[in-house]
Each structure stands twice: as C-alpha cells, then as structure tokens.
Amino acid sequence: QVQLVESGGGLVQPGGSLRLSCAASGSIFSIYTMGWYRQAPGKQRELVAAITSGGSTNYADSVKGRFTISRDNAKNTVYLQMNSLKPEDTAIYYCNADAIRRSLGVTSIYEWDVWGQGTQVTVSS
C-alpha cells in the first residue's frame, strides 16, 4: 500500500505565504502526475495545480502567478509554494497521484487515484 501525507498547512494573513508538502511512502517505483486540489466549505473540490513526472505543469486560473508546484522524484514528494495568499484560498488542500507503480513481491502493480488526508489552509487577518 502507498500513502500520501500532506504537511505545511496553517493560518496565514492575507498576502502571506505557505509551502505545502506531500510525501508518498511505500515501495514505490514511480509516480505519474501529482497534483494539489482544494475544497472550500460548500464548494466542490477543484484542481489547483498539477505536475507530470517530466515536470510539465498546469494551474487553475485563480492561482496562476501566485502558486508554484514542484516535485522531487527522488523523494517522491510534491510541493506547492503559495504566495500572495487571499482569503478565497482558504480550503482543505489535498494531494493526489493519478498512478503510482509500486513493488508487490517479485512484480509490481499500479495504484490509481491516490489521495492524501488533506491539510487545512486558512487565510485570514
């Protein structure tokens, strides 16, 4: 089994910054696209940013120019640097991996659509 564990959330004032981390654990060979999603109260979960194993990125229009997604493949970790935070960025942020290839005895299997438990980000004065 693999797990995604997020960290780095918290309370920050408008205009401030936070850096989220998401580390994948388990006997992992490779991870394909990793992404950050968020869900605010009463709203649907939405994609914030994603990054492929090759480093291609895409962002929601609402965070372009403010957030930066990156990953360290050797550490199986994805990051989200969030700058110029606004109150509307307040949400639970979830890490996702669309496909993780991991060891299973002498062979390997894929785990699909793996989610972390979420980390709260609150932007308020």
Side-chain angles (χ1 to χ4, degrees):
Q1 290 255 344
V2 295
Q3 278 190 313
L4 299 179
V5 179
E6 300 103 332
S7 60
L11 173 64
V12 64
Q13 292 188 339
S17 298
L18 281 175
R19 189 191 194 211
L20 305 183
S21 299
C22 170
S25 62
S27 301
I28 295 170
F29 290 134
S30 58
I31 305 175
Y32 291 83
T33 299
M34 299 187 79
W36 288 96
Y37 292 73
R38 68 186 180 187
Q39 187 165 20
K43 294 188 175 182
Q44 288 189 331
R45 191 174 296 189
E46 62 174 357
L47 174 68
V48 176
I51 184 167
T52 67
S53 57
S56 297
T57 60
N58 69 287
Y59 297 90
D61 288 343
S62 59
V63 306
K64 283 181 181 176
R66 300 188 298 123
F67 291 10
T68 302
I69 190 169
S70 61
R71 65 190 284 174
D72 184 333
N73 291 329
K75 296 181 179 179
N76 293 323
T77 300
V78 64
Y79 306 96
L80 186 68
Q81 177 67 43
M82 304 185 294
N83 299 327
S84 303
L85 282 161
K86 304 175 181 180
E88 51 264 42
D89 294 317
T90 296
I92 300 175
Y93 283 69
Y94 297 91
C95 177
N96 172 268
D98 69 345
I100 299 177
R101 181 170 165 251
R102 68 170 179 90
S103 171
L104 181 66
V106 297
T107 185
S108 65
I109 63 168
Y110 284 90
E111 294 202 21
W112 305 97
D113 199 26
V114 181
W115 290 91
Q117 82 287 353
T119 185
Q120 176 70 47
V121 171
T122 302
V123 184
S124 175
S125 54

